[in-house]
Amino acid sequence: MDQQKHQRFAELFVRNEAAVYRYIVSLIPNRADADELFQQTNLTLWTIWDRYDPDREFLSWAFGIARNEFRNFIRRRKNRHCELTDDVIAELTERRLREQEHLVEQQETLNDCLEKLPSKQRDLIHLCYGSEASMKVVAKQRGQSPDALYKALQRIRDLLYDCVQRNLVLASRS
C-alpha cells in the first residue's frame, strides 16, 4: 500500500512540478529567490509526502505547502519588505489553480492538433523542438536554408494555433 501511495505521489509530483514553480514565481518574481523557494518547497513535499491525502486535489495541497514555505522565506528575510497580504496570496493561489486547468486543456488540445498534422510536418516539429539539434543543423540535414526552415515552421505553428483555438472554442460551446 505505501509503495503504491508513494508511486502515485511521485507521478503527481512530476506532473505538477512546473505548475508549482509557476505559482512560486507569481509570488516572488526574483529568479534566484524563486529557485531557492522552489527547492525548499520540493524538499518539504518529499519530506511529508506520506501526509498527502489522495482524495484531495494534489495541486491545491502543493500550493498550500509552497504558500507556507513562502511565508517562512519572507520571515527569514526580515530585511526585505514584502507587501503581499494573506488575501493577495490566497487570490494568487486561486488564479493559478484556475489557470492551470486552462493550461492543461490547451496542452491536451495542442497534442490532439499535433496528431492531426501530416507526418512530414509532425516529424519536422519533433526534429526542431524535440531534439538538441540547432535550426542550422536541421536546415542543413534537410537541404534547406535556415530561412526556408523558419518559414515552414511558422506555417505549421499557424496551423497549430488555428487548430487549438478552433477546438477550444468548440469545447467551450459543448
Side-chain angles (χ1 to χ4, degrees):
M1 174 64 177
D2 266 357
Q3 183 63 26
Q4 286 178 331
K5 186 177 176 183
H6 189 263
Q7 179 67 29
R8 177 72 179 137
F9 175 84
E11 290 168 6
L12 289 168
F13 177 86
V14 169
R15 187 177 320 136
N16 291 287
E17 194 172 14
V20 171
Y21 184 75
R22 285 190 302 269
Y23 171 65
I24 289 170
V25 168
S26 75
L27 295 174
I28 190 160
N30 176 291
R31 179 73 175 224
D33 289 345
D35 288 347
E36 181 181 336
L37 184 56
F38 180 62
Q39 292 303 321
Q40 183 58 48
T41 299
N42 286 344
L43 180 62
T44 301
L45 287 169
W46 279 106
T47 302
I48 64 170
W49 74 267
D50 57 338
R51 294 186 205 163
Y52 170 66
D53 177 1
D55 293 331
R56 275 187 75 191
E57 169 68 36
F58 179 84
L59 208 47
S60 295
W61 181 75
F63 281 6
I65 301 299
R67 186 173 46 248
N68 290 338
E69 291 300 330
F70 171 72
R71 287 182 182 126
N72 292 336
F73 182 85
I74 294 304
R75 267 188 237 115
R76 286 191 305 269
R77 299 196 171 202
K78 291 178 187 171
N79 59 337
R80 294 189 184 176
H81 186 65
C82 176
E83 298 189 26
L84 294 181
T85 65
D86 287 343
D87 290 341
V88 171
I89 294 171
E91 176 63 27
L92 287 170
T93 303
E94 286 304 312
R95 279 188 189 180
R96 185 55 62 184
L97 285 168
R98 284 192 309 269
E99 289 171 3
Q100 182 61 26
E101 291 172 15
H102 185 66
L103 289 172
V104 167
E105 182 182 13
Q106 284 180 321
Q107 183 64 51
E108 290 170 354
T109 304
L110 175 60
N111 290 340
D112 292 342
C113 290
L114 278 166
E115 289 301 315
K116 293 175 185 173
L117 285 175
S119 61
K120 283 179 84 172
Q121 290 178 331
R122 194 171 47 246
D123 291 345
L124 181 59
I125 290 289
H126 289 298
L127 186 60
C128 291
Y129 298 115
S131 73
E132 298 293 319
S134 70
M135 292 294 182
K136 277 186 176 180
V137 169
V138 172
K140 188 174 183 178
Q141 287 173 347
R142 294 175 49 90
Q144 290 180 292
S145 71
D147 284 343
L149 179 63
Y150 283 116
K151 287 177 185 173
L153 286 170
Q154 185 59 51
R155 285 190 295 274
I156 296 169
R157 286 193 300 267
D158 289 344
L159 288 171
L160 289 171
Y161 178 82
D162 290 343
C163 177
V164 168
Q165 293 306 310
R166 186 174 47 255
N167 288 336
L168 288 175
V169 167
L170 290 173
S172 71
R173 291 181 183 164
S174 54

